[in-house]
Amino acid sequence: MPRKYFIKTYGCQMNEADSVRLAGVLESAGYQNIGGSGYQSADIVLVNTCCVRRHAEDVALQYVASLKGLKKKNPEMIIGVCGCVAAEPGVDILKRFQHVDLVLGPNEAEKLREFLKPLTPFSPSPLVRGKGKYKGEGGEFVTIMRGCDNFCSYCIVPYVRGREVSRPIDEVLEEVGRKIEQGAKRMTLLGQSINSYKYGLANLMRAMGPAAERRGSQSEEPRHSVSGSELVQFLTSHPRDMSDEIIEAVAELPYVAKEFMLPLQSGDDEILQKMNRGYNLDHYRGRIKKIRELMPHARISTDILVGFPGETEEQFQNTLKAIEEIKFNEVHMFAYSSRPGTPAAQLLDQLPEKVIKDRLQQLISHVHRLVA
Ligand code: 5AD
Ligand code: SF4
């Protein structure tokens, strides 16, 4: 009987993509995906965690704690904690949870291979990213770069995911080609700050022309020039690095979705500066203007973070005004959560929990009013 695995994934698309990678390693070692309903009889359970906000971390670690009983019943079961919490400074998973056997940071899929080697023979083919039968929940992802060098003052990602590393264009094209052969119709290129891709995001998108042609000839569905027929979209862009060149490439290339994920975070210049975001509201407006000049129907979504330390009522109102002015298609809204080790966590003017929660509620109502 083949051995079975189960992967529980929390957090962003980057984590989804990492889970596909972990699944690829497990499948090349002969393990089969048992899926959520059968996880109690899995031979290995991996929990892929997120720590961008305290709540996300707590939820993931509660799940890890809940596996204790299973391990007691079946001491042979391997339990692994992966992803961002596993790399968080000051969090000692093995010490905290005696029933955990394995801890893997976000870039350590290869370590899983090493761990499994004494237990199981591997298929001779080298690790193929995302080739496994495991399907992520959010669709097809292609990670083109890992890590982040931006060090926004509130964000823990650069500490747990490390410095930016871009995959060469050829390697990305190979993966895209393979996914098309396997029937993928659309995929999302991923990077924490994707428009600083070292080899040029516009170059990469242009180099995808032949792959898009191949996809076109393999597709059974008639292709119309409407949204949904494009081959790729990309996440997440940093407003500071959103160059004209990238915007023009998106506008020009028919196989690139006219969709932008451009986190504003705050509509107040002083807060943006304290966040170390590297742009002001005017710069952001300019990027939106350029996008809409070339693509009037582009879909623009954003992230907003309220309750940053020291944020005044007036500064919060500036964020609400900016949202009203810019007219996003979608707004993801977050309450500031202090993350140990980040510069913002050291600031003395942390706002009371109640003020932060109230602002999030006001923001949610504001956005609903605008969208309704
Ligand atoms: N608290 C709340 N939200 C955060 N984000 C990043 N760090 C924090 C934090 N400490 C939000 C940002 C980012 C999104 C992925 O998560 O808005 O764009
Ligand atoms: Fe975090 Fe800023 Fe990097 Fe995004 S760009 S992952 S918010 S440090």
Side-chain angles (χ1 to χ4, degrees):
M1 253 239 310
R3 293 186 229 202
K4 307 280 192 216
Y5 73 87
F6 171 61
I7 305 180
K8 174 85 181 165
T9 308
Y10 292 96
C12 63
Q13 291 93 344
M14 195 64 87
N15 265 14
E16 285 287 342
D18 287 348
S19 288
V20 176
R21 222 162 154 238
L22 292 165
V25 176
L26 288 162
E27 287 177 15
S28 68
Y31 285 79
Q32 285 181 1
N33 184 13
I34 197 168
S37 51
Y39 79 99
Q40 287 161 326
S41 47
D43 297 283
I44 179 163
V45 175
L46 299 180
V47 187
N48 197 357
T49 57
C50 167
C51 64
V52 74
R53 281 167 291 278
R54 164 105 193 267
H55 180 69
E57 177 173 336
D58 290 347
V59 170
L61 291 182
Q62 271 160 24
Y63 185 79
V64 173
S66 77
L67 297 173
K68 192 174 172 183
L70 269 187
K71 177 80 175 182
K72 211 167 176 186
K73 260 197 248 156
N74 175 13
E76 298 295 302
M77 177 187 263
I78 298 166
I79 296 177
V81 176
C82 321
C84 294
V85 178
E88 212 180 323
V91 178
D92 191 337
I93 301 280
L94 290 176
K95 208 164 156 194
R96 190 155 155 195
F97 301 103
Q98 304 291 318
H99 60 288
V100 171
D101 305 281
L102 172 70
V103 175
L104 299 169
N107 303 323
E108 294 185 327
E110 282 302 324
K111 207 166 130 187
L112 175 62
R113 208 174 165 76
E114 292 308 310
F115 178 88
L116 293 173
K117 253 185 194 156
L119 307 176
T120 174
F122 271 85
S123 75
S125 64
L127 167 65
V128 179
R129 273 172 237 261
K131 199 184 169 192
K133 285 169 226 88
Y134 177 90
K135 282 267 173 266
E137 281 163 30
E140 295 277 3
F141 297 115
V142 179
T143 304
I144 69 164
M145 60 194 294
R146 308 183 73 81
C148 183
D149 289 350
N150 287 310
F151 289 94
C152 299
S153 63
Y154 51 81
C155 184
I156 200 166
V157 169
Y159 304 93
V160 292
R161 288 195 168 269
R163 298 291 65 71
E164 270 176 27
V165 180
S166 297
R167 289 171 66 199
I169 290 187
D170 286 353
E171 200 181 301
V172 175
L173 291 180
E174 198 193 296
E175 182 172 339
V176 168
R178 203 167 50 234
K179 284 195 155 48
I180 290 172
E181 272 166 34
Q182 290 165 357
K185 299 276 189 284
R186 179 157 173 154
M187 54 198 86
T188 305
L189 307 182
L190 291 181
Q192 226 77 47
S193 179
I194 199 163
N195 41 1
S196 59
Y197 175 66
K198 185 172 156 196
Y199 306 102
L201 184 60
N203 293 339
L204 174 63
M205 289 190 295
R206 289 185 195 284
M208 285 182 168
E213 288 285 312
R214 277 208 307 285
R215 196 257 334 214
S217 62
Q218 282 184 7
S219 175
E220 297 124 40
E221 297 157 26
R223 292 190 53 212
H224 307 292
S225 58
V226 291
S227 168
S229 66
E230 296 95 350
L231 173 65
V232 283
Q233 63 184 99
F234 57 99
L235 294 173
T236 294
S237 298
H238 194 297
R240 184 198 55 218
D241 301 327
M242 186 47 107
S243 64
D244 285 356
E245 197 193 354
I246 294 174
I247 298 172
E248 283 158 11
V250 177
E252 244 172 67
L253 301 170
Y255 51 86
V256 179
K258 313 307 172 213
E259 290 182 18
F260 295 84
M261 173 55 192
L262 203 59
L264 171 63
Q265 310 296 4
S266 167
D268 183 86
D269 286 347
E270 197 185 323
I271 293 291
L272 285 171
Q273 197 179 13
K274 286 188 182 169
M275 287 177 164
N276 192 31
R277 290 289 289 171
Y279 56 86
N280 58 21
L281 182 58
D282 241 14
H283 171 84
Y284 190 93
R285 284 190 182 108
R287 299 298 74 204
I288 299 289
K289 186 160 171 263
K290 175 83 186 177
I291 292 170
R292 290 197 169 132
E293 265 167 19
L294 297 186
M295 294 160 275
H297 302 295
R299 190 178 160 77
I300 304 177
S301 45
T302 200
D303 286 352
I304 298 288
L305 197 173
V306 293
F308 185 83
E311 182 190 64
T312 63
E313 178 59 28
E314 192 187 341
Q315 290 171 328
F316 169 62
Q317 292 297 329
N318 285 341
T319 297
L320 298 186
K321 277 186 219 153
I323 294 170
E324 195 157 352
E325 175 196 322
I326 294 168
K327 299 184 175 53
F328 294 102
N329 295 89
E330 200 176 341
V331 183
H332 307 125
M333 299 169 269
F334 305 107
Y336 171 76
S337 163
S338 174
R339 301 284 57 210
T342 60
Q346 309 287 324
L347 296 172
L348 297 177
D349 46 1
Q350 306 285 323
L351 296 180
E353 199 64 26
K354 180 166 173 1
V355 173
I356 301 177
K357 290 269 141 64
D358 279 357
R359 286 188 184 165
L360 180 65
Q361 278 314 316
Q362 284 182 60
L363 173 67
I364 293 170
S365 315
H366 183 72
V367 169
H368 284 172
R369 255 198 318 275
L370 292 173
V371 171

